[in-house]
Coordinates of all heavy atoms in Angstrom, one line a residue:
M1 N 17.4 -14.8 13.4 CA 16.5 -14.3 12.4 C 15.3 -13.7 13.1 O 14.7 -14.2 14.1 CB 16.0 -15.5 11.6 CG 15.1 -15.1 10.5 SD 14.7 -16.6 9.5 CE 13.5 -15.9 8.4
S2 N 14.9 -12.6 12.6 CA 13.8 -11.8 13.1 C 12.4 -12.5 12.8 O 12.2 -13.0 11.8 CB 13.8 -10.4 12.5 OG 12.7 -9.7 13.1
T3 N 11.5 -12.4 13.8 CA 10.2 -12.9 13.6 C 9.2 -11.8 13.3 O 8.0 -12.0 13.0 CB 9.7 -13.7 14.8 OG1 9.7 -12.9 15.9 CG2 10.5 -14.9 15.0
I4 N 9.6 -10.5 13.3 CA 8.8 -9.4 13.0 C 9.4 -8.7 11.7 O 10.5 -8.4 11.6 CB 8.8 -8.3 14.1 CG1 8.2 -8.9 15.4 CG2 8.0 -7.1 13.7 CD1 8.3 -8.0 16.6
H5 N 8.5 -8.6 10.7 CA 8.9 -8.0 9.5 C 7.9 -6.9 9.1 O 6.7 -7.1 9.1 CB 8.8 -9.0 8.3 CG 9.6 -10.3 8.7 ND1 10.9 -10.4 8.5 CD2 9.2 -11.4 9.2 CE1 11.3 -11.6 8.9 NE2 10.3 -12.2 9.3
V6 N 8.4 -5.7 8.9 CA 7.6 -4.5 8.6 C 8.1 -3.9 7.3 O 9.3 -3.6 7.3 CB 7.6 -3.4 9.7 CG1 6.8 -2.2 9.4 CG2 7.1 -4.0 11.1
T7 N 7.3 -3.8 6.3 CA 7.7 -3.2 5.1 C 8.0 -1.7 5.3 O 7.4 -1.1 6.2 CB 6.7 -3.4 3.9 OG1 5.5 -2.6 4.3 CG2 6.4 -4.8 3.7
D8 N 8.8 -1.1 4.4 CA 9.1 0.3 4.5 C 7.8 1.1 4.2 O 7.6 2.1 4.9 CB 10.2 0.7 3.5 CG 11.6 0.3 4.0 OD1 11.8 0.3 5.2 OD2 12.4 0.1 3.1
R9 N 7.0 0.7 3.4 CA 5.7 1.4 3.1 C 4.8 1.3 4.3 O 4.1 2.3 4.6 CB 5.1 1.0 1.8 CG 4.6 -0.3 1.7 CD 4.1 -0.6 0.3 NE 3.2 -1.8 0.3 CZ 2.4 -2.1 -0.6 NH1 2.2 -1.3 -1.6 NH2 1.6 -3.2 -0.5
A10 N 4.8 0.2 5.0 CA 4.0 0.1 6.3 C 4.5 1.1 7.3 O 3.8 1.8 8.0 CB 3.9 -1.3 6.8
A11 N 5.9 1.2 7.4 CA 6.5 2.1 8.4 C 6.1 3.5 8.0 O 5.8 4.3 8.9 CB 8.0 1.9 8.4
R12 N 6.2 3.9 6.8 CA 5.8 5.2 6.4 C 4.3 5.5 6.7 O 4.0 6.6 7.0 CB 6.1 5.4 4.9 CG 7.6 5.5 4.6 CD 8.0 5.9 3.2 NE 7.4 5.1 2.2 CZ 8.0 4.0 1.6 NH1 9.2 3.7 2.1 NH2 7.3 3.3 0.7
W13 N 3.5 4.5 6.5 CA 2.0 4.6 6.8 C 1.9 5.0 8.3 O 1.1 5.9 8.7 CB 1.3 3.3 6.5 CG -0.2 3.4 6.7 CD1 -1.1 3.7 5.8 CD2 -0.9 3.1 7.9 NE1 -2.4 3.6 6.3 CE2 -2.3 3.3 7.6 CE3 -0.5 2.7 9.2 CZ2 -3.3 3.1 8.6 CZ3 -1.5 2.5 10.1 CH2 -2.9 2.7 9.8
Y14 N 2.6 4.2 9.2 CA 2.5 4.5 10.6 C 3.0 5.9 10.9 O 2.4 6.7 11.7 CB 3.4 3.5 11.4 CG 2.7 2.2 11.6 CD1 3.3 1.1 11.1 CD2 1.6 2.1 12.4 CE1 2.7 -0.2 11.3 CE2 1.0 0.8 12.7 CZ 1.6 -0.3 12.1 OH 1.0 -1.5 12.3
K15 N 4.1 6.3 10.2 CA 4.6 7.7 10.5 C 3.6 8.8 10.1 O 3.4 9.7 10.9 CB 5.9 7.9 9.6 CG 7.1 7.2 10.1 CD 8.3 7.3 9.1 CE 9.2 8.4 9.4 NZ 10.4 8.3 8.6
E16 N 2.9 8.6 9.0 CA 1.9 9.6 8.6 C 0.7 9.5 9.5 O 0.2 10.5 10.0 CB 1.5 9.3 7.2 CG 0.5 10.3 6.6 CD 0.2 10.1 5.1 OE1 1.2 9.9 4.4 OE2 -1.0 10.0 4.8
E17 N 0.1 8.3 9.7 CA -1.1 8.2 10.5 C -0.9 8.6 12.0 O -1.9 9.1 12.6 CB -1.6 6.7 10.4 CG -2.1 6.3 9.1 CD -3.4 7.1 8.7 OE1 -4.3 7.2 9.5 OE2 -3.5 7.5 7.5
L18 N 0.2 8.3 12.6 CA 0.5 8.5 14.0 C 1.3 9.7 14.2 O 1.7 10.0 15.4 CB 1.1 7.3 14.6 CG 0.2 6.0 14.5 CD1 1.0 4.8 15.1 CD2 -1.1 6.2 15.2
N19 N 1.7 10.5 13.2 CA 2.5 11.7 13.3 C 3.8 11.4 14.0 O 4.2 12.1 14.9 CB 1.7 12.8 14.0 CG 2.4 14.1 13.7 OD1 3.0 14.4 12.7 ND2 2.2 15.1 14.7
L20 N 4.5 10.3 13.5 CA 5.8 9.9 14.1 C 7.0 10.5 13.4 O 6.9 11.0 12.2 CB 5.9 8.4 14.0 CG 4.8 7.6 14.7 CD1 5.0 6.1 14.4 CD2 4.8 7.9 16.2
N21 N 8.1 10.6 14.1 CA 9.4 11.1 13.6 C 10.4 9.9 13.6 O 10.2 9.0 14.3 CB 9.9 12.2 14.5 CG 9.0 13.4 14.4 OD1 8.6 13.9 13.4 ND2 8.6 13.8 15.6
D22 N 11.4 10.1 12.8 CA 12.5 9.1 12.8 C 13.0 8.9 14.2 O 13.1 9.9 15.0 CB 13.6 9.6 11.9 CG 13.4 9.4 10.4 OD1 12.3 8.8 10.1 OD2 14.2 9.9 9.6
G23 N 13.2 7.7 14.6 CA 13.7 7.4 16.0 C 12.5 7.0 16.9 O 12.8 6.5 18.0
D24 N 11.3 7.3 16.6 CA 10.2 6.9 17.4 C 10.0 5.4 17.4 O 10.5 4.7 16.5 CB 8.9 7.6 17.0 CG 8.8 9.0 17.3 OD1 9.6 9.5 18.2 OD2 8.0 9.7 16.7
S25 N 9.3 4.8 18.4 CA 9.1 3.4 18.5 C 7.6 3.0 18.6 O 6.8 3.7 19.2 CB 9.8 2.9 19.8 OG 11.2 3.1 19.7
I26 N 7.3 1.9 18.0 CA 6.0 1.3 18.1 C 6.1 -0.1 18.7 O 6.9 -0.9 18.3 CB 5.3 1.2 16.7 CG1 5.0 2.6 16.2 CG2 4.0 0.3 16.8 CD1 4.3 2.6 14.8
R27 N 5.3 -0.3 19.8 CA 5.2 -1.6 20.4 C 4.1 -2.4 19.9 O 2.9 -1.9 19.9 CB 5.1 -1.3 21.9 CG 4.9 -2.6 22.7 CD 4.7 -2.3 24.2 NE 4.0 -3.4 24.8 CZ 3.1 -3.3 25.8 NH1 2.7 -2.2 26.2 NH2 2.6 -4.4 26.3
F28 N 4.3 -3.6 19.5 CA 3.2 -4.6 19.3 C 3.0 -5.4 20.5 O 3.9 -5.8 21.2 CB 3.7 -5.6 18.2 CG 3.9 -5.0 16.8 CD1 5.1 -5.0 16.2 CD2 2.8 -4.4 16.1 CE1 5.3 -4.4 15.0 CE2 3.0 -3.8 14.9 CZ 4.3 -3.8 14.3
F29 N 1.7 -5.6 20.9 CA 1.4 -6.3 22.1 C 0.1 -7.1 21.9 O -0.7 -6.8 21.0 CB 1.3 -5.3 23.3 CG 0.1 -4.3 23.2 CD1 -1.1 -4.6 23.7 CD2 0.4 -3.1 22.6 CE1 -2.1 -3.7 23.6 CE2 -0.6 -2.2 22.5 CZ -1.9 -2.4 23.0
A30 N 0.0 -8.1 22.7 CA -1.2 -9.0 22.7 C -2.3 -8.3 23.6 O -2.0 -7.8 24.7 CB -0.9 -10.4 23.3
R31 N -3.5 -8.2 23.0 CA -4.6 -7.6 23.8 C -5.8 -8.4 23.8 O -6.0 -9.1 22.8 CB -4.9 -6.1 23.4 CG -5.4 -6.1 22.0 CD -5.6 -4.6 21.5 NE -6.2 -4.5 20.2 CZ -7.5 -4.3 20.0 NH1 -8.3 -4.1 21.0 NH2 -8.0 -4.3 18.8
Y32 N -6.6 -8.4 24.8 CA -7.9 -9.1 24.8 C -8.8 -8.5 23.7 O -8.8 -7.3 23.5 CB -8.6 -8.9 26.1 CG -7.9 -9.7 27.3 CD1 -7.3 -8.9 28.3 CD2 -7.9 -11.0 27.3 CE1 -6.7 -9.6 29.3 CE2 -7.2 -11.7 28.3 CZ -6.6 -11.0 29.3 OH -6.0 -11.6 30.4
S33 N -9.5 -9.4 23.0 CA -10.3 -8.9 21.9 C -11.4 -10.0 21.6 O -11.1 -11.2 21.7 CB -9.4 -8.7 20.7 OG -10.2 -8.5 19.5
S34 N -12.5 -9.5 21.2 CA -13.6 -10.5 20.8 C -13.3 -11.0 19.4 O -13.9 -12.0 19.0 CB -15.0 -9.9 21.0 OG -15.1 -8.8 20.1
G35 N -12.5 -10.3 18.7 CA -12.2 -10.7 17.3 C -11.2 -11.7 17.3 O -10.6 -12.1 18.3
G36 N -10.9 -12.2 16.1 CA -9.9 -13.2 15.9 C -8.6 -12.6 15.5 O -8.6 -11.7 14.7
G37 N -7.6 -13.1 16.0 CA -6.2 -12.8 15.6 C -5.5 -14.1 15.5 O -6.1 -15.1 15.1
L38 N -4.3 -14.2 15.9 CA -3.5 -15.4 15.8 C -4.0 -16.4 16.9 O -4.0 -17.6 16.6 CB -2.1 -15.1 16.0 CG -1.1 -16.2 16.0 CD1 -1.1 -16.9 14.6 CD2 0.3 -15.7 16.2
H39 N -4.5 -15.8 18.0 CA -5.0 -16.7 19.1 C -6.4 -16.2 19.4 O -6.7 -15.0 19.5 CB -4.2 -16.5 20.4 CG -2.7 -16.9 20.1 ND1 -2.3 -18.2 20.1 CD2 -1.6 -16.2 19.9 CE1 -1.0 -18.3 19.9 NE2 -0.6 -17.0 19.8
P40 N -7.4 -17.2 19.6 CA -8.8 -16.8 19.9 C -8.8 -15.9 21.2 O -8.1 -16.2 22.2 CB -9.4 -18.2 20.2 CG -8.6 -19.1 19.4 CD -7.2 -18.6 19.5
G41 N -9.6 -14.9 21.1 CA -9.7 -14.0 22.3 C -8.7 -12.9 22.4 O -8.7 -12.1 23.3
F42 N -7.7 -12.9 21.5 CA -6.7 -11.9 21.5 C -6.5 -11.3 20.1 O -6.7 -12.0 19.1 CB -5.3 -12.5 22.0 CG -5.3 -12.9 23.4 CD1 -5.7 -14.2 23.7 CD2 -5.0 -12.0 24.4 CE1 -5.7 -14.6 25.1 CE2 -4.9 -12.4 25.7 CZ -5.3 -13.7 26.1
S43 N -6.0 -10.1 20.0 CA -5.5 -9.6 18.8 C -4.3 -8.7 19.0 O -3.9 -8.6 20.2 CB -6.7 -8.7 18.2 OG -6.9 -7.6 19.0
L44 N -3.7 -8.2 18.0 CA -2.5 -7.5 18.1 C -2.8 -6.0 18.3 O -3.6 -5.4 17.5 CB -1.6 -7.7 16.8 CG -0.2 -7.2 16.9 CD1 0.6 -8.1 17.9 CD2 0.4 -7.4 15.5
G45 N -2.3 -5.4 19.3 CA -2.4 -4.0 19.5 C -1.1 -3.3 19.2 O 0.0 -3.9 19.1
I46 N -1.2 -1.9 19.1 CA 0.0 -1.1 19.0 C 0.0 0.0 19.9 O -1.1 0.5 20.3 CB 0.2 -0.6 17.5 CG1 -0.9 0.4 17.2 CG2 0.3 -1.7 16.5 CD1 -0.5 1.3 16.0
A47 N 1.2 0.5 20.3 CA 1.3 1.7 21.2 C 2.6 2.4 20.8 O 3.6 1.7 20.5 CB 1.3 1.3 22.7
V48 N 2.6 3.7 20.8 CA 3.8 4.5 20.6 C 4.5 4.6 21.9 O 4.0 5.4 22.8 CB 3.5 5.8 20.0 CG1 4.7 6.6 19.8 CG2 2.7 5.7 18.6
E49 N 5.5 3.9 22.2 CA 6.3 3.9 23.4 C 7.7 3.4 23.2 O 7.9 2.7 22.2 CB 5.5 3.2 24.5 CG 5.3 1.8 24.3 CD 4.5 1.1 25.4 OE1 3.3 1.5 25.6 OE2 5.0 0.2 26.1
E50 N 8.5 3.7 24.2 CA 9.9 3.2 24.1 C 10.0 1.8 24.7 O 9.3 1.4 25.6 CB 10.8 4.1 24.9 CG 11.0 5.5 24.3 CD 11.6 5.5 22.9 OE1 12.6 4.8 22.7 OE2 11.0 6.1 22.0
P51 N 10.9 0.9 24.1 CA 11.1 -0.4 24.6 C 11.7 -0.4 26.0 O 12.5 0.5 26.4 CB 12.1 -1.1 23.6 CG 12.5 0.0 22.7 CD 11.8 1.2 23.0
R52 N 11.3 -1.4 26.8 CA 11.8 -1.6 28.2 C 12.6 -2.9 28.2 O 13.7 -2.9 28.7 CB 10.7 -1.6 29.2 CG 10.1 -0.2 29.3 CD 9.2 0.0 30.6 NE 8.7 1.3 30.6 CZ 7.5 1.7 30.6 NH1 6.6 0.7 30.6 NH2 7.1 2.9 30.7
H53 N 11.9 -4.0 27.8 CA 12.5 -5.3 27.8 C 12.1 -6.0 26.5 O 11.3 -7.0 26.6 CB 12.0 -6.1 29.0 CG 12.3 -5.5 30.3 ND1 13.6 -5.4 30.9 CD2 11.5 -4.8 31.2 CE1 13.5 -4.8 32.0 NE2 12.3 -4.4 32.2
P54 N 12.6 -5.5 25.4 CA 12.2 -6.1 24.1 C 12.7 -7.5 23.9 O 13.9 -7.8 24.1 CB 12.8 -5.2 23.1 CG 13.9 -4.5 23.8 CD 13.6 -4.5 25.2
A55 N 11.8 -8.4 23.5 CA 12.2 -9.7 23.1 C 12.7 -9.7 21.6 O 13.5 -10.5 21.2 CB 11.0 -10.7 23.2
E56 N 12.1 -8.8 20.9 CA 12.4 -8.7 19.4 C 12.2 -7.2 19.0 O 11.3 -6.5 19.5 CB 11.4 -9.5 18.7 CG 11.5 -9.5 17.2 CD 12.3 -10.6 16.6 OE1 12.3 -11.7 17.2 OE2 13.0 -10.4 15.6
Q57 N 13.1 -6.7 18.2 CA 13.0 -5.4 17.7 C 13.7 -5.2 16.3 O 14.7 -5.9 16.0 CB 13.5 -4.3 18.7 CG 14.9 -4.5 19.1 CD 15.3 -3.5 20.2 OE1 14.7 -2.5 20.3 NE2 16.3 -3.8 20.9
I58 N 13.0 -4.4 15.5 CA 13.6 -4.2 14.1 C 13.4 -2.7 13.8 O 12.7 -2.0 14.5 CB 12.9 -5.0 13.0 CG1 11.4 -4.7 13.0 CG2 13.1 -6.5 13.3 CD1 10.9 -4.7 11.6
E59 N 14.0 -2.2 12.7 CA 13.8 -0.8 12.3 C 13.4 -0.9 10.8 O 13.9 -1.6 10.0 CB 15.1 -0.1 12.5 CG 15.1 1.4 12.1 CD 15.4 1.7 10.7 OE1 16.1 0.9 10.0 OE2 14.8 2.7 10.1
A60 N 12.5 0.0 10.5 CA 12.0 0.2 9.1 C 11.7 1.7 8.9 O 11.0 2.3 9.7 CB 10.8 -0.7 8.8
S61 N 12.3 2.3 7.9 CA 12.1 3.7 7.5 C 12.2 4.6 8.7 O 11.4 5.5 8.9 CB 10.8 3.9 6.8 OG 10.8 3.3 5.6
G62 N 13.2 4.3 9.6 CA 13.5 5.2 10.7 C 12.6 5.0 12.0 O 12.8 5.6 13.0
I63 N 11.7 4.0 11.9 CA 10.8 3.7 13.1 C 11.3 2.4 13.7 O 11.5 1.4 12.9 CB 9.3 3.6 12.7 CG1 8.9 5.0 12.0 CG2 8.5 3.3 13.9 CD1 9.0 6.2 12.9
H64 N 11.3 2.3 15.0 CA 11.7 1.1 15.7 C 10.4 0.3 16.0 O 9.5 0.9 16.6 CB 12.5 1.3 16.9 CG 13.7 2.1 16.7 ND1 14.9 1.5 16.2 CD2 14.0 3.4 16.7 CE1 15.8 2.4 16.0 NE2 15.3 3.6 16.3
F65 N 10.3 -0.9 15.7 CA 9.1 -1.8 16.0 C 9.6 -2.9 16.9 O 10.7 -3.4 16.7 CB 8.6 -2.4 14.7 CG 8.0 -1.4 13.7 CD1 8.8 -0.8 12.8 CD2 6.7 -1.0 13.8 CE1 8.3 0.1 11.9 CE2 6.2 -0.1 12.9 CZ 7.0 0.5 12.0
F66 N 8.9 -3.2 18.0 CA 9.3 -4.1 18.9 C 8.1 -4.8 19.6 O 7.0 -4.4 19.5 CB 10.2 -3.5 20.0 CG 9.5 -2.5 20.9 CD1 9.1 -3.0 22.2 CD2 9.2 -1.2 20.5 CE1 8.4 -2.1 23.0 CE2 8.6 -0.4 21.4 CZ 8.2 -0.8 22.6
M67 N 8.5 -5.9 20.3 CA 7.5 -6.6 21.1 C 8.3 -7.0 22.4 O 9.4 -7.5 22.4 CB 7.0 -7.9 20.5 CG 5.9 -8.6 21.3 SD 5.2 -10.0 20.3 CE 3.8 -9.1 19.6
E68 N 7.6 -6.6 23.5 CA 8.2 -6.9 24.9 C 8.2 -8.3 25.2 O 7.4 -9.1 24.7 CB 7.5 -6.1 25.9 CG 7.6 -4.6 25.8 CD 8.9 -4.1 26.3 OE1 9.8 -4.8 26.8 OE2 9.1 -2.8 26.2
D69 N 9.1 -8.7 26.1 CA 9.3 -10.1 26.5 C 7.9 -10.7 27.0 O 7.6 -11.8 26.6 CB 10.2 -10.1 27.8 CG 11.5 -10.9 27.5 OD1 11.6 -11.4 26.4 OD2 12.3 -11.0 28.5
H70 N 7.2 -10.0 27.8 CA 5.9 -10.6 28.3 C 4.8 -10.7 27.3 O 3.8 -11.4 27.6 CB 5.4 -9.7 29.6 CG 5.1 -8.3 29.2 ND1 6.0 -7.3 29.2 CD2 3.9 -7.8 28.9 CE1 5.4 -6.2 28.9 NE2 4.2 -6.4 28.7
D71 N 5.0 -10.1 26.1 CA 4.0 -10.3 25.1 C 4.4 -11.3 24.0 O 3.6 -11.6 23.1 CB 3.6 -9.0 24.4 CG 2.8 -8.1 25.3 OD1 1.8 -8.6 25.8 OD2 3.1 -6.9 25.4
Y72 N 5.6 -11.7 24.0 CA 6.2 -12.4 22.9 C 5.6 -13.8 22.7 O 5.7 -14.4 21.6 CB 7.7 -12.6 23.1 CG 8.5 -12.9 21.8 CD1 8.4 -12.0 20.8 CD2 9.2 -14.1 21.7 CE1 9.1 -12.3 19.6 CE2 9.8 -14.3 20.5 CZ 9.8 -13.4 19.4 OH 10.4 -13.7 18.3
W73 N 4.9 -14.3 23.7 CA 4.2 -15.6 23.6 C 3.2 -15.6 22.4 O 2.9 -16.6 21.8 CB 3.4 -15.9 24.9 CG 2.3 -14.9 25.2 CD1 2.4 -13.9 26.0 CD2 1.0 -14.9 24.7 NE1 1.3 -13.2 26.1 CE2 0.3 -13.8 25.3 CE3 0.3 -15.8 23.9 CZ2 -1.0 -13.5 25.0 CZ3 -1.1 -15.4 23.6 CH2 -1.7 -14.3 24.2
Y74 N 2.7 -14.4 22.1 CA 1.7 -14.2 21.0 C 2.3 -14.7 19.7 O 1.5 -15.2 18.9 CB 1.3 -12.8 21.0 CG 0.1 -12.5 20.0 CD1 -1.2 -12.8 20.4 CD2 0.3 -12.0 18.8 CE1 -2.3 -12.6 19.6 CE2 -0.7 -11.8 17.9 CZ -2.0 -12.1 18.3 OH -3.1 -11.9 17.5
L75 N 3.6 -14.5 19.5 CA 4.2 -14.8 18.2 C 4.8 -16.2 18.2 O 5.3 -16.7 17.1 CB 5.2 -13.8 17.8 CG 4.7 -12.5 17.4 CD1 5.9 -11.6 16.9 CD2 3.7 -12.6 16.2
K76 N 4.8 -16.9 19.3 CA 5.5 -18.2 19.4 C 5.2 -19.1 18.2 O 4.0 -19.4 18.0 CB 5.2 -18.9 20.7 CG 6.0 -20.1 20.9 CD 5.8 -20.7 22.3 CE 6.8 -21.9 22.4 NZ 6.6 -22.5 23.7
G77 N 6.2 -19.5 17.5 CA 6.0 -20.4 16.4 C 5.6 -19.7 15.1 O 5.2 -20.4 14.1
H78 N 5.5 -18.4 15.1 CA 5.1 -17.6 13.9 C 5.9 -16.4 13.7 O 6.7 -15.9 14.5 CB 3.6 -17.1 14.2 CG 2.6 -18.2 14.3 ND1 2.4 -18.9 15.4 CD2 1.8 -18.8 13.4 CE1 1.5 -19.8 15.2 NE2 1.1 -19.8 14.0
E79 N 5.8 -15.9 12.4 CA 6.4 -14.7 12.1 C 5.3 -13.7 11.8 O 4.2 -14.1 11.3 CB 7.3 -14.8 10.8 CG 8.5 -15.6 11.0 CD 9.4 -15.6 9.7 OE1 8.9 -15.2 8.6 OE2 10.5 -16.0 9.8
L80 N 5.5 -12.4 12.1 CA 4.6 -11.4 11.9 C 5.0 -10.6 10.7 O 6.2 -10.1 10.6 CB 4.5 -10.4 13.1 CG 3.7 -9.1 12.9 CD1 2.2 -9.4 12.5 CD2 3.9 -8.2 14.1
H81 N 4.1 -10.4 9.7 CA 4.4 -9.6 8.5 C 3.4 -8.5 8.4 O 2.2 -8.7 8.4 CB 4.3 -10.5 7.2 CG 5.2 -11.6 7.2 ND1 6.5 -11.6 6.7 CD2 5.1 -12.9 7.7 CE1 7.1 -12.8 6.8 NE2 6.2 -13.6 7.5
V82 N 4.0 -7.2 8.4 CA 3.1 -6.0 8.4 C 3.3 -5.3 7.1 O 4.4 -5.0 6.7 CB 3.5 -5.1 9.6 CG1 2.6 -3.9 9.6 CG2 3.5 -5.8 10.9
D83 N 2.2 -5.0 6.4 CA 2.3 -4.4 5.1 C 1.0 -3.5 5.0 O 0.1 -3.5 5.8 CB 2.3 -5.4 4.0 CG 2.9 -4.8 2.7 OD1 3.2 -3.5 2.7 OD2 3.1 -5.5 1.7
V84 N 1.0 -2.7 3.9 CA -0.1 -1.8 3.6 C -1.0 -2.5 2.6 O -0.5 -3.1 1.7 CB 0.4 -0.4 3.1 CG1 -0.7 0.5 2.7 CG2 1.3 0.2 4.1
V85 N -2.3 -2.3 2.8 CA -3.3 -2.9 1.8 C -4.3 -1.8 1.5 O -4.3 -0.7 2.0 CB -4.1 -4.1 2.4 CG1 -3.1 -5.3 2.6 CG2 -4.8 -3.8 3.7
D86 N -5.3 -2.1 0.6 CA -6.4 -1.2 0.2 C -5.8 0.1 -0.3 O -6.2 1.2 0.1 CB -7.3 -0.9 1.4 CG -8.1 -2.1 1.9 OD1 -8.3 -3.0 1.0 OD2 -8.4 -2.2 3.0
E87 N -4.9 -0.1 -1.3 CA -4.3 1.1 -1.9 C -3.7 2.1 -1.0 O -3.8 3.3 -1.1 CB -5.3 1.8 -2.9 CG -5.7 0.8 -4.0 CD -6.8 1.4 -4.9 OE1 -7.1 2.6 -4.8 OE2 -7.4 0.7 -5.6
G88 N -3.0 1.6 0.1 CA -2.4 2.4 1.0 C -3.2 3.0 2.2 O -2.8 3.9 2.9
R89 N -4.5 2.5 2.3 CA -5.4 3.1 3.3 C -5.4 2.3 4.6 O -5.9 2.8 5.6 CB -6.8 3.1 2.7 CG -7.0 4.1 1.6 CD -8.4 4.3 1.2 NE -9.0 3.0 0.8 CZ -9.3 2.7 -0.4 NH1 -9.1 3.5 -1.4 NH2 -9.8 1.5 -0.7
D90 N -4.8 1.1 4.6 CA -4.9 0.3 5.9 C -3.7 -0.6 6.0 O -3.0 -0.8 5.1 CB -6.2 -0.5 5.8 CG -6.7 -0.9 7.2 OD1 -6.1 -0.5 8.2 OD2 -7.7 -1.6 7.3
I91 N -3.5 -1.1 7.2 CA -2.4 -2.0 7.6 C -3.0 -3.4 7.6 O -4.1 -3.7 8.1 CB -1.8 -1.6 8.9 CG1 -1.0 -0.3 8.8 CG2 -1.0 -2.7 9.5 CD1 0.3 -0.5 8.1
E92 N -2.1 -4.4 7.2 CA -2.5 -5.8 7.3 C -1.4 -6.5 8.1 O -0.2 -6.3 7.9 CB -2.5 -6.4 5.9 CG -2.7 -7.9 5.9 CD -2.6 -8.5 4.5 OE1 -1.5 -8.4 3.9 OE2 -3.6 -9.1 4.1
Y93 N -1.9 -7.3 9.0 CA -1.0 -8.2 9.8 C -1.2 -9.6 9.3 O -2.3 -10.2 9.4 CB -1.4 -8.1 11.3 CG -1.3 -6.7 11.9 CD1 -2.4 -6.0 12.3 CD2 0.0 -6.1 12.0 CE1 -2.3 -4.7 12.8 CE2 0.1 -4.8 12.5 CZ -1.1 -4.2 12.9 OH -1.0 -2.9 13.4
R94 N -0.1 -10.2 8.9 CA -0.2 -11.6 8.4 C 0.8 -12.4 9.3 O 1.8 -12.0 9.7 CB 0.3 -11.8 7.0 CG -0.8 -11.6 5.9 CD -0.3 -11.9 4.5 NE 1.0 -11.2 4.2 CZ 2.2 -11.8 4.1 NH1 2.3 -13.1 4.4 NH2 3.2 -11.1 3.8
Y95 N 0.4 -13.7 9.6 CA 1.2 -14.5 10.4 C 1.6 -15.8 9.5 O 0.7 -16.3 8.9 CB 0.5 -15.0 11.6 CG 0.0 -13.8 12.4 CD1 -1.3 -13.3 12.3 CD2 0.8 -13.2 13.3 CE1 -1.8 -12.2 13.0 CE2 0.4 -12.1 14.1 CZ -0.9 -11.6 13.9 OH -1.4 -10.6 14.6
T96 N 2.8 -16.2 9.6 CA 3.2 -17.4 8.9 C 3.9 -18.3 10.0 O 4.6 -17.8 10.9 CB 4.2 -17.2 7.8 OG1 5.3 -16.4 8.2 CG2 3.5 -16.4 6.6
E97 N 3.6 -19.6 9.9 CA 4.3 -20.5 10.8 C 5.7 -20.7 10.4 O 6.1 -20.7 9.3 CB 3.6 -21.9 10.7 CG 2.3 -22.0 11.5 CD 1.8 -23.4 11.6 OE1 2.5 -24.2 12.2 OE2 0.7 -23.6 11.2
V98 N 6.6 -20.9 11.5 CA 8.0 -21.1 11.2 C 8.4 -22.5 11.7 O 7.7 -23.1 12.5 CB 8.9 -20.1 11.9 CG1 8.7 -18.7 11.2 CG2 8.6 -19.9 13.4

């Protein structure tokens, strides 16, 4: 069972905002941050790049979303849900315990 869930409308948002084409990939990764994310001192970052050693990957609306092995600790014990909020103007990352 996948721990990363991206709605089709969120995938379309990424395509439009980042000028992506079908078959492109987005990497989710843990990054240092002063803000709060799932873990204090870290938040979720994104990068448009191809997978090298994905721990998890899914496809939504022609875009591949993945998290590399070395970043997967960030989701341990949780699922990531990505959707669009604010009438389509922004992305929301929600985490649920599993």
Side-chain angles (χ1 to χ4, degrees):
M1 181 175 173
S2 179
T3 57
I4 298 174
H5 309 277
V6 179
T7 65
D8 284 330
R9 66 187 196 157
R12 289 190 303 269
W13 184 93
Y14 281 114
K15 285 171 94 168
E16 184 176 310
E17 291 293 316
L18 301 175
N19 197 27
L20 301 176
N21 297 305
D22 285 351
D24 286 343
S25 298
I26 292 181
R27 174 183 161 217
F28 294 117
F29 63 93
R31 65 183 183 100
Y32 292 112
S33 172
S34 61
L38 182 57
H39 301 282
F42 292 90
S43 64
L44 195 65
I46 65 162
V48 178
E49 61 185 62
E50 293 298 313
R52 293 194 177 122
H53 303 286
E56 176 97 31
Q57 56 187 337
I58 61 140
E59 184 273 331
S61 289
I63 303 298
H64 302 279
F65 296 87
F66 69 97
M67 185 171 269
E68 293 284 357
D69 244 0
H70 62 273
D71 285 314
Y72 201 62
W73 63 267
Y74 188 80
L75 290 182
K76 187 174 183 178
H78 295 83
E79 291 185 349
L80 168 64
H81 300 270
V82 184
D83 202 356
V84 176
V85 294
D86 296 331
E87 298 176 12
R89 292 187 302 253
D90 205 0
I91 287 289
E92 173 186 59
Y93 302 110
R94 273 186 310 103
Y95 305 95
T96 57
E97 280 191 59
V98 290

